[in-house]
Amino acid sequence: MQLHISPSLRHVTVMTGKGVREFIKVKVGSRKLSYKTLFYSLLLFTFLIRFMFVISSADTIDDQTKCSTVGCLRKKLSPSVLRGRNIHSASDVPQVIYQILEEPSSQDEIVGGPNIPQTLEEFVSSIKGSNRPDAKTFAIKLKNMISLLEQRTRTAKIQEYLYRHVASSSIPKNLHCLALRLAHEHATNAAARLQLPVPELVPTLVNNSYFHFVLASDNILAASVVATSLVYNSLRPEMVVIHIITDRKTYSPMQAWFSLHRLAPAVIEVKALHHFDWFAKGKVPVLEAMEKDQKVRAQFRGGSSAIVANNTEKPHVIAAKLQAMSPKYNSLMNHVRIYLPQMFPSLNKVVFLDDDLVVQSDLSPLWEIDMNGKVNGAVETCKGGDKFVMSKRFKSYLNFSHPLISKNFDPNECAWAYGMNIFDLEAWRKTNISDNYHYWLEENLKSDLSLWQLGTLPPGLIAFHGHVHVIDPFWHMLGLGYQENTSAADVERAAVIHFNGRAKPWLDIAFPQLKKLWTKYVNFSDKFIKSCHITAS
């Protein structure tokens, strides 16, 4: 049989195979269908049937599926269209499972009854041992097991947070020993009472051509590591001046340590807060705020036992409240930086360092950064590869459900870090930053600590709002005190690494692989270190 199509595409001529010419004219443009058109439609349908047979045969031979010809074709062509919405495949999850899992669990159901599987193996065994278990039974057993495990995980997390809170809030015995031995040395050894710095170097304390660093700490060993790492990694140590500020009880042992452990050619100054006239004689708003804060926290929090006993709050909320109970957040050393313009009236620029960090690079280039009239040079904490650490915005620290916060600030504004900050004291003296700091401390106390719950960073975010110059993240890496996921390569590249968090490097709860970055600046052969049994492990 031969097929001829007219040039106009309006007629089709069919000639049989026996040589007899037979014209079958089909008017393509016509809407009427002749019996001959129907005949050829049947031929086409027959071809499709044979095509379906070939597909199903191939599937059977390959042992890919055991289904009917029509079913296999439905899978091949368009599963989403041909199967229909109301037809469930074998992979669909029965709706009853979702219903059971979404129902709230009562506490009595998950206390730990004998019928609740304790492990995945027990769950599988119980399902296999049942006589034809239905989807509902499967869902109930699965939900009870998961709920029980979640409850146990929550309890374990809260216990971990409590133990870390106790460990981080206490003074380790070896650090207490070090302070006592140095205090005794200060009282009995004249070399431990030498003036710091020596008289001929006193003019450097107010000379703005030097690199001035301020360190506020009541931890002698921690202050030693910061100062040692800073001088050791400086390209021009003779230009480095370190102002160490401490409290009255730590002043004698701190002076004894740095008198006996000189970091020449750097210049070291050790002063206590009571040595500053404005502090000793004047009215210090932050001291009054701290006294009120301590009373409010005692009534508002109810102690660590009350926090842990709360069964409704999530573990990370309980962890934040325990952290707020830490004595660190009620320490004057934590608020000292807000008084830098008064403490150093002759200086134009300083770099403030926390005592839980390590310097790994020369920091003199910080003085070359153009602050563009801003007061505070800091690293932002909402951008970076480490999403766990570098994901902090204003809403991470401030309570935006409070109208006083929500109407004044943007919750998605990027936060910045305390710990290593460049402060332009000249620009600072032209602002009302310190007054704003005190004002917001009072407002938080008036609202029963409902504006923020812990730390000096929240009032700092508010007081320095609009006065922050963002610097490169290279200068300040955070998070080494509350997570250990930071890669070794990233840590080694950072100029300053900060052990902010509970796992301080001088505590037993420090992360071992990170602690060695801190202990490398401790001389464990020193007689005071050895006598107090301070070790690297």
Side-chain angles (χ1 to χ4, degrees), residues 212-233:
H212 293 268
F213 297 88
V214 179
L215 169 63
S217 176
D218 57 359
N219 185 325
I220 301 161
L221 187 61
S224 171
V225 168
V226 176
T228 303
S229 63
L230 172 61
V231 176
Y232 179 83
N233 290 290

mmCIF file with all atom_site columns, all heavy atoms in Angstrom, residues 212-233:
data_model
loop_
_atom_site.group_PDB
_atom_site.id
_atom_site.type_symbol
_atom_site.label_atom_id
_atom_site.label_alt_id
_atom_site.label_comp_id
_atom_site.label_asym_id
_atom_site.label_entity_id
_atom_site.label_seq_id
_atom_site.pdbx_PDB_ins_code
_atom_site.Cartn_x
_atom_site.Cartn_y
_atom_site.Cartn_z
_atom_site.occupancy
_atom_site.B_iso_or_equiv
_atom_site.pdbx_formal_charge
_atom_site.auth_seq_id
_atom_site.auth_comp_id
_atom_site.auth_asym_id
_atom_site.auth_atom_id
_atom_site.pdbx_PDB_model_num
ATOM 1   N N   . HIS A 1 212 ? 48.088 51.792 72.341 1.00 0.00 ? 212 HIS A N   1
ATOM 2   C CA  . HIS A 1 212 ? 47.561 51.597 73.700 1.00 0.00 ? 212 HIS A CA  1
ATOM 3   C C   . HIS A 1 212 ? 46.454 50.539 73.706 1.00 0.00 ? 212 HIS A C   1
ATOM 4   O O   . HIS A 1 212 ? 45.461 50.654 72.979 1.00 0.00 ? 212 HIS A O   1
ATOM 5   C CB  . HIS A 1 212 ? 47.026 52.920 74.245 1.00 0.00 ? 212 HIS A CB  1
ATOM 6   C CG  . HIS A 1 212 ? 48.091 53.937 74.481 1.00 0.00 ? 212 HIS A CG  1
ATOM 7   N ND1 . HIS A 1 212 ? 48.728 54.080 75.698 1.00 0.00 ? 212 HIS A ND1 1
ATOM 8   C CD2 . HIS A 1 212 ? 48.654 54.868 73.651 1.00 0.00 ? 212 HIS A CD2 1
ATOM 9   C CE1 . HIS A 1 212 ? 49.622 55.042 75.615 1.00 0.00 ? 212 HIS A CE1 1
ATOM 10  N NE2 . HIS A 1 212 ? 49.590 55.545 74.383 1.00 0.00 ? 212 HIS A NE2 1
ATOM 11  N N   . PHE A 1 213 ? 46.636 49.527 74.565 1.00 0.00 ? 213 PHE A N   1
ATOM 12  C CA  . PHE A 1 213 ? 45.660 48.455 74.748 1.00 0.00 ? 213 PHE A CA  1
ATOM 13  C C   . PHE A 1 213 ? 45.166 48.496 76.194 1.00 0.00 ? 213 PHE A C   1
ATOM 14  O O   . PHE A 1 213 ? 45.959 48.702 77.115 1.00 0.00 ? 213 PHE A O   1
ATOM 15  C CB  . PHE A 1 213 ? 46.284 47.091 74.460 1.00 0.00 ? 213 PHE A CB  1
ATOM 16  C CG  . PHE A 1 213 ? 46.740 46.911 73.046 1.00 0.00 ? 213 PHE A CG  1
ATOM 17  C CD1 . PHE A 1 213 ? 48.017 47.305 72.666 1.00 0.00 ? 213 PHE A CD1 1
ATOM 18  C CD2 . PHE A 1 213 ? 45.904 46.362 72.089 1.00 0.00 ? 213 PHE A CD2 1
ATOM 19  C CE1 . PHE A 1 213 ? 48.453 47.149 71.361 1.00 0.00 ? 213 PHE A CE1 1
ATOM 20  C CE2 . PHE A 1 213 ? 46.323 46.202 70.783 1.00 0.00 ? 213 PHE A CE2 1
ATOM 21  C CZ  . PHE A 1 213 ? 47.602 46.597 70.417 1.00 0.00 ? 213 PHE A CZ  1
ATOM 22  N N   . VAL A 1 214 ? 43.866 48.274 76.370 1.00 0.00 ? 214 VAL A N   1
ATOM 23  C CA  . VAL A 1 214 ? 43.265 48.259 77.707 1.00 0.00 ? 214 VAL A CA  1
ATOM 24  C C   . VAL A 1 214 ? 42.699 46.867 77.965 1.00 0.00 ? 214 VAL A C   1
ATOM 25  O O   . VAL A 1 214 ? 41.951 46.324 77.137 1.00 0.00 ? 214 VAL A O   1
ATOM 26  C CB  . VAL A 1 214 ? 42.163 49.322 77.847 1.00 0.00 ? 214 VAL A CB  1
ATOM 27  C CG1 . VAL A 1 214 ? 41.542 49.258 79.241 1.00 0.00 ? 214 VAL A CG1 1
ATOM 28  C CG2 . VAL A 1 214 ? 42.727 50.720 77.578 1.00 0.00 ? 214 VAL A CG2 1
ATOM 29  N N   . LEU A 1 215 ? 43.049 46.299 79.096 1.00 0.00 ? 215 LEU A N   1
ATOM 30  C CA  . LEU A 1 215 ? 42.591 44.968 79.489 1.00 0.00 ? 215 LEU A CA  1
ATOM 31  C C   . LEU A 1 215 ? 42.018 45.052 80.892 1.00 0.00 ? 215 LEU A C   1
ATOM 32  O O   . LEU A 1 215 ? 42.726 45.421 81.837 1.00 0.00 ? 215 LEU A O   1
ATOM 33  C CB  . LEU A 1 215 ? 43.760 43.982 79.441 1.00 0.00 ? 215 LEU A CB  1
ATOM 34  C CG  . LEU A 1 215 ? 43.561 42.597 80.064 1.00 0.00 ? 215 LEU A CG  1
ATOM 35  C CD1 . LEU A 1 215 ? 42.465 41.839 79.326 1.00 0.00 ? 215 LEU A CD1 1
ATOM 36  C CD2 . LEU A 1 215 ? 44.875 41.818 80.021 1.00 0.00 ? 215 LEU A CD2 1
ATOM 37  N N   . ALA A 1 216 ? 40.750 44.759 81.052 1.00 0.00 ? 216 ALA A N   1
ATOM 38  C CA  . ALA A 1 216 ? 40.090 44.772 82.362 1.00 0.00 ? 216 ALA A CA  1
ATOM 39  C C   . ALA A 1 216 ? 39.855 43.334 82.802 1.00 0.00 ? 216 ALA A C   1
ATOM 40  O O   . ALA A 1 216 ? 39.154 42.579 82.121 1.00 0.00 ? 216 ALA A O   1
ATOM 41  C CB  . ALA A 1 216 ? 38.769 45.530 82.293 1.00 0.00 ? 216 ALA A CB  1
ATOM 42  N N   . SER A 1 217 ? 40.447 42.951 83.951 1.00 0.00 ? 217 SER A N   1
ATOM 43  C CA  . SER A 1 217 ? 40.341 41.554 84.370 1.00 0.00 ? 217 SER A CA  1
ATOM 44  C C   . SER A 1 217 ? 40.653 41.405 85.848 1.00 0.00 ? 217 SER A C   1
ATOM 45  O O   . SER A 1 217 ? 41.467 42.152 86.415 1.00 0.00 ? 217 SER A O   1
ATOM 46  C CB  . SER A 1 217 ? 41.307 40.687 83.558 1.00 0.00 ? 217 SER A CB  1
ATOM 47  O OG  . SER A 1 217 ? 41.298 39.349 84.000 1.00 0.00 ? 217 SER A OG  1
ATOM 48  N N   . ASP A 1 218 ? 40.020 40.419 86.479 1.00 0.00 ? 218 ASP A N   1
ATOM 49  C CA  . ASP A 1 218 ? 40.384 40.008 87.834 1.00 0.00 ? 218 ASP A CA  1
ATOM 50  C C   . ASP A 1 218 ? 40.916 38.580 87.823 1.00 0.00 ? 218 ASP A C   1
ATOM 51  O O   . ASP A 1 218 ? 40.985 37.919 88.847 1.00 0.00 ? 218 ASP A O   1
ATOM 52  C CB  . ASP A 1 218 ? 39.186 40.125 88.785 1.00 0.00 ? 218 ASP A CB  1
ATOM 53  C CG  . ASP A 1 218 ? 37.987 39.315 88.315 1.00 0.00 ? 218 ASP A CG  1
ATOM 54  O OD1 . ASP A 1 218 ? 38.068 38.665 87.243 1.00 0.00 ? 218 ASP A OD1 1
ATOM 55  O OD2 . ASP A 1 218 ? 36.962 39.328 89.010 1.00 0.00 ? 218 ASP A OD2 1
ATOM 56  N N   . ASN A 1 219 ? 41.279 38.094 86.620 1.00 0.00 ? 219 ASN A N   1
ATOM 57  C CA  . ASN A 1 219 ? 41.832 36.749 86.440 1.00 0.00 ? 219 ASN A CA  1
ATOM 58  C C   . ASN A 1 219 ? 43.297 36.902 86.025 1.00 0.00 ? 219 ASN A C   1
ATOM 59  O O   . ASN A 1 219 ? 43.595 37.301 84.894 1.00 0.00 ? 219 ASN A O   1
ATOM 60  C CB  . ASN A 1 219 ? 41.035 36.002 85.368 1.00 0.00 ? 219 ASN A CB  1
ATOM 61  C CG  . ASN A 1 219 ? 41.470 34.557 85.205 1.00 0.00 ? 219 ASN A CG  1
ATOM 62  O OD1 . ASN A 1 219 ? 42.639 34.230 85.333 1.00 0.00 ? 219 ASN A OD1 1
ATOM 63  N ND2 . ASN A 1 219 ? 40.518 33.696 84.888 1.00 0.00 ? 219 ASN A ND2 1
ATOM 64  N N   . ILE A 1 220 ? 44.209 36.588 86.929 1.00 0.00 ? 220 ILE A N   1
ATOM 65  C CA  . ILE A 1 220 ? 45.638 36.836 86.693 1.00 0.00 ? 220 ILE A CA  1
ATOM 66  C C   . ILE A 1 220 ? 46.171 35.991 85.544 1.00 0.00 ? 220 ILE A C   1
ATOM 67  O O   . ILE A 1 220 ? 46.882 36.489 84.660 1.00 0.00 ? 220 ILE A O   1
ATOM 68  C CB  . ILE A 1 220 ? 46.439 36.552 87.976 1.00 0.00 ? 220 ILE A CB  1
ATOM 69  C CG1 . ILE A 1 220 ? 45.934 37.453 89.106 1.00 0.00 ? 220 ILE A CG1 1
ATOM 70  C CG2 . ILE A 1 220 ? 47.929 36.742 87.756 1.00 0.00 ? 220 ILE A CG2 1
ATOM 71  C CD1 . ILE A 1 220 ? 46.306 36.979 90.489 1.00 0.00 ? 220 ILE A CD1 1
ATOM 72  N N   . LEU A 1 221 ? 45.840 34.709 85.546 1.00 0.00 ? 221 LEU A N   1
ATOM 73  C CA  . LEU A 1 221 ? 46.353 33.823 84.503 1.00 0.00 ? 221 LEU A CA  1
ATOM 74  C C   . LEU A 1 221 ? 45.813 34.221 83.128 1.00 0.00 ? 221 LEU A C   1
ATOM 75  O O   . LEU A 1 221 ? 46.552 34.232 82.138 1.00 0.00 ? 221 LEU A O   1
ATOM 76  C CB  . LEU A 1 221 ? 45.981 32.373 84.825 1.00 0.00 ? 221 LEU A CB  1
ATOM 77  C CG  . LEU A 1 221 ? 46.593 31.295 83.922 1.00 0.00 ? 221 LEU A CG  1
ATOM 78  C CD1 . LEU A 1 221 ? 48.107 31.326 84.007 1.00 0.00 ? 221 LEU A CD1 1
ATOM 79  C CD2 . LEU A 1 221 ? 46.065 29.916 84.288 1.00 0.00 ? 221 LEU A CD2 1
ATOM 80  N N   . ALA A 1 222 ? 44.534 34.565 83.059 1.00 0.00 ? 222 ALA A N   1
ATOM 81  C CA  . ALA A 1 222 ? 43.933 34.970 81.793 1.00 0.00 ? 222 ALA A CA  1
ATOM 82  C C   . ALA A 1 222 ? 44.562 36.262 81.283 1.00 0.00 ? 222 ALA A C   1
ATOM 83  O O   . ALA A 1 222 ? 44.881 36.392 80.091 1.00 0.00 ? 222 ALA A O   1
ATOM 84  C CB  . ALA A 1 222 ? 42.432 35.140 81.962 1.00 0.00 ? 222 ALA A CB  1
ATOM 85  N N   . ALA A 1 223 ? 44.764 37.224 82.188 1.00 0.00 ? 223 ALA A N   1
ATOM 86  C CA  . ALA A 1 223 ? 45.391 38.493 81.791 1.00 0.00 ? 223 ALA A CA  1
ATOM 87  C C   . ALA A 1 223 ? 46.810 38.263 81.302 1.00 0.00 ? 223 ALA A C   1
ATOM 88  O O   . ALA A 1 223 ? 47.268 38.916 80.348 1.00 0.00 ? 223 ALA A O   1
ATOM 89  C CB  . ALA A 1 223 ? 45.378 39.458 82.969 1.00 0.00 ? 223 ALA A CB  1
ATOM 90  N N   . SER A 1 224 ? 47.511 37.320 81.922 1.00 0.00 ? 224 SER A N   1
ATOM 91  C CA  . SER A 1 224 ? 48.870 37.004 81.502 1.00 0.00 ? 224 SER A CA  1
ATOM 92  C C   . SER A 1 224 ? 48.907 36.458 80.080 1.00 0.00 ? 224 SER A C   1
ATOM 93  O O   . SER A 1 224 ? 49.782 36.827 79.286 1.00 0.00 ? 224 SER A O   1
ATOM 94  C CB  . SER A 1 224 ? 49.481 35.981 82.465 1.00 0.00 ? 224 SER A CB  1
ATOM 95  O OG  . SER A 1 224 ? 50.717 35.497 81.982 1.00 0.00 ? 224 SER A OG  1
ATOM 96  N N   . VAL A 1 225 ? 47.959 35.587 79.746 1.00 0.00 ? 225 VAL A N   1
ATOM 97  C CA  . VAL A 1 225 ? 47.920 35.009 78.391 1.00 0.00 ? 225 VAL A CA  1
ATOM 98  C C   . VAL A 1 225 ? 47.631 36.089 77.351 1.00 0.00 ? 225 VAL A C   1
ATOM 99  O O   . VAL A 1 225 ? 48.266 36.135 76.286 1.00 0.00 ? 225 VAL A O   1
ATOM 100 C CB  . VAL A 1 225 ? 46.871 33.884 78.316 1.00 0.00 ? 225 VAL A CB  1
ATOM 101 C CG1 . VAL A 1 225 ? 46.616 33.474 76.873 1.00 0.00 ? 225 VAL A CG1 1
ATOM 102 C CG2 . VAL A 1 225 ? 47.325 32.680 79.135 1.00 0.00 ? 225 VAL A CG2 1
ATOM 103 N N   . VAL A 1 226 ? 46.692 36.979 77.646 1.00 0.00 ? 226 VAL A N   1
ATOM 104 C CA  . VAL A 1 226 ? 46.368 38.046 76.694 1.00 0.00 ? 226 VAL A CA  1
ATOM 105 C C   . VAL A 1 226 ? 47.588 38.934 76.462 1.00 0.00 ? 226 VAL A C   1
ATOM 106 O O   . VAL A 1 226 ? 47.972 39.223 75.318 1.00 0.00 ? 226 VAL A O   1
ATOM 107 C CB  . VAL A 1 226 ? 45.181 38.894 77.197 1.00 0.00 ? 226 VAL A CB  1
ATOM 108 C CG1 . VAL A 1 226 ? 44.924 40.068 76.245 1.00 0.00 ? 226 VAL A CG1 1
ATOM 109 C CG2 . VAL A 1 226 ? 43.922 38.038 77.316 1.00 0.00 ? 226 VAL A CG2 1
ATOM 110 N N   . ALA A 1 227 ? 48.222 39.374 77.556 1.00 0.00 ? 227 ALA A N   1
ATOM 111 C CA  . ALA A 1 227 ? 49.367 40.263 77.434 1.00 0.00 ? 227 ALA A CA  1
ATOM 112 C C   . ALA A 1 227 ? 50.539 39.574 76.745 1.00 0.00 ? 227 ALA A C   1
ATOM 113 O O   . ALA A 1 227 ? 51.213 40.156 75.882 1.00 0.00 ? 227 ALA A O   1
ATOM 114 C CB  . ALA A 1 227 ? 49.773 40.770 78.817 1.00 0.00 ? 227 ALA A CB  1
ATOM 115 N N   . THR A 1 228 ? 50.814 38.331 77.113 1.00 0.00 ? 228 THR A N   1
ATOM 116 C CA  . THR A 1 228 ? 51.930 37.594 76.524 1.00 0.00 ? 228 THR A CA  1
ATOM 117 C C   . THR A 1 228 ? 51.725 37.379 75.034 1.00 0.00 ? 228 THR A C   1
ATOM 118 O O   . THR A 1 228 ? 52.642 37.588 74.225 1.00 0.00 ? 228 THR A O   1
ATOM 119 C CB  . THR A 1 228 ? 52.113 36.243 77.236 1.00 0.00 ? 228 THR A CB  1
ATOM 120 O OG1 . THR A 1 228 ? 52.322 36.461 78.628 1.00 0.00 ? 228 THR A OG1 1
ATOM 121 C CG2 . THR A 1 228 ? 53.282 35.478 76.657 1.00 0.00 ? 228 THR A CG2 1
ATOM 122 N N   . SER A 1 229 ? 50.536 36.932 74.655 1.00 0.00 ? 229 SER A N   1
ATOM 123 C CA  . SER A 1 229 ? 50.267 36.691 73.230 1.00 0.00 ? 229 SER A CA  1
ATOM 124 C C   . SER A 1 229 ? 50.298 37.987 72.435 1.00 0.00 ? 229 SER A C   1
ATOM 125 O O   . SER A 1 229 ? 50.735 38.006 71.277 1.00 0.00 ? 229 SER A O   1
ATOM 126 C CB  . SER A 1 229 ? 48.925 35.984 73.060 1.00 0.00 ? 229 SER A CB  1
ATOM 127 O OG  . SER A 1 229 ? 47.847 36.795 73.521 1.00 0.00 ? 229 SER A OG  1
ATOM 128 N N   . LEU A 1 230 ? 49.856 39.082 73.035 1.00 0.00 ? 230 LEU A N   1
ATOM 129 C CA  . LEU A 1 230 ? 49.865 40.381 72.358 1.00 0.00 ? 230 LEU A CA  1
ATOM 130 C C   . LEU A 1 230 ? 51.298 40.835 72.079 1.00 0.00 ? 230 LEU A C   1
ATOM 131 O O   . LEU A 1 230 ? 51.630 41.228 70.940 1.00 0.00 ? 230 LEU A O   1
ATOM 132 C CB  . LEU A 1 230 ? 49.146 41.407 73.229 1.00 0.00 ? 230 LEU A CB  1
ATOM 133 C CG  . LEU A 1 230 ? 49.212 42.875 72.780 1.00 0.00 ? 230 LEU A CG  1
ATOM 134 C CD1 . LEU A 1 230 ? 48.582 43.068 71.413 1.00 0.00 ? 230 LEU A CD1 1
ATOM 135 C CD2 . LEU A 1 230 ? 48.542 43.779 73.808 1.00 0.00 ? 230 LEU A CD2 1
ATOM 136 N N   . VAL A 1 231 ? 52.162 40.769 73.080 1.00 0.00 ? 231 VAL A N   1
ATOM 137 C CA  . VAL A 1 231 ? 53.552 41.211 72.915 1.00 0.00 ? 231 VAL A CA  1
ATOM 138 C C   . VAL A 1 231 ? 54.330 40.258 72.021 1.00 0.00 ? 231 VAL A C   1
ATOM 139 O O   . VAL A 1 231 ? 55.113 40.672 71.158 1.00 0.00 ? 231 VAL A O   1
ATOM 140 C CB  . VAL A 1 231 ? 54.234 41.348 74.294 1.00 0.00 ? 231 VAL A CB  1
ATOM 141 C CG1 . VAL A 1 231 ? 55.706 41.702 74.136 1.00 0.00 ? 231 VAL A CG1 1
ATOM 142 C CG2 . VAL A 1 231 ? 53.508 42.384 75.138 1.00 0.00 ? 231 VAL A CG2 1
ATOM 143 N N   . TYR A 1 232 ? 54.119 38.966 72.200 1.00 0.00 ? 232 TYR A N   1
ATOM 144 C CA  . TYR A 1 232 ? 54.853 37.957 71.436 1.00 0.00 ? 232 TYR A CA  1
ATOM 145 C C   . TYR A 1 232 ? 54.597 38.091 69.935 1.00 0.00 ? 232 TYR A C   1
ATOM 146 O O   . TYR A 1 232 ? 55.513 37.901 69.118 1.00 0.00 ? 232 TYR A O   1
ATOM 147 C CB  . TYR A 1 232 ? 54.458 36.559 71.922 1.00 0.00 ? 232 TYR A CB  1
ATOM 148 C CG  . TYR A 1 232 ? 55.140 35.432 71.190 1.00 0.00 ? 232 TYR A CG  1
ATOM 149 C CD1 . TYR A 1 232 ? 56.420 35.022 71.547 1.00 0.00 ? 232 TYR A CD1 1
ATOM 150 C CD2 . TYR A 1 232 ? 54.503 34.776 70.134 1.00 0.00 ? 232 TYR A CD2 1
ATOM 151 C CE1 . TYR A 1 232 ? 57.054 33.985 70.866 1.00 0.00 ? 232 TYR A CE1 1
ATOM 152 C CE2 . TYR A 1 232 ? 55.129 33.739 69.454 1.00 0.00 ? 232 TYR A CE2 1
ATOM 153 C CZ  . TYR A 1 232 ? 56.405 33.352 69.818 1.00 0.00 ? 232 TYR A CZ  1
ATOM 154 O OH  . TYR A 1 232 ? 57.026 32.326 69.139 1.00 0.00 ? 232 TYR A OH  1
ATOM 155 N N   . ASN A 1 233 ? 53.374 38.442 69.540 1.00 0.00 ? 233 ASN A N   1
ATOM 156 C CA  . ASN A 1 233 ? 53.018 38.515 68.125 1.00 0.00 ? 233 ASN A CA  1
ATOM 157 C C   . ASN A 1 233 ? 53.114 39.927 67.549 1.00 0.00 ? 233 ASN A C   1
ATOM 158 O O   . ASN A 1 233 ? 52.768 40.145 66.393 1.00 0.00 ? 233 ASN A O   1
ATOM 159 C CB  . ASN A 1 233 ? 51.596 37.975 67.912 1.00 0.00 ? 233 ASN A CB  1
ATOM 160 C CG  . ASN A 1 233 ? 51.509 36.479 68.124 1.00 0.00 ? 233 ASN A CG  1
ATOM 161 O OD1 . ASN A 1 233 ? 52.021 35.689 67.339 1.00 0.00 ? 233 ASN A OD1 1
ATOM 162 N ND2 . ASN A 1 233 ? 50.859 36.077 69.212 1.00 0.00 ? 233 ASN A ND2 1
#
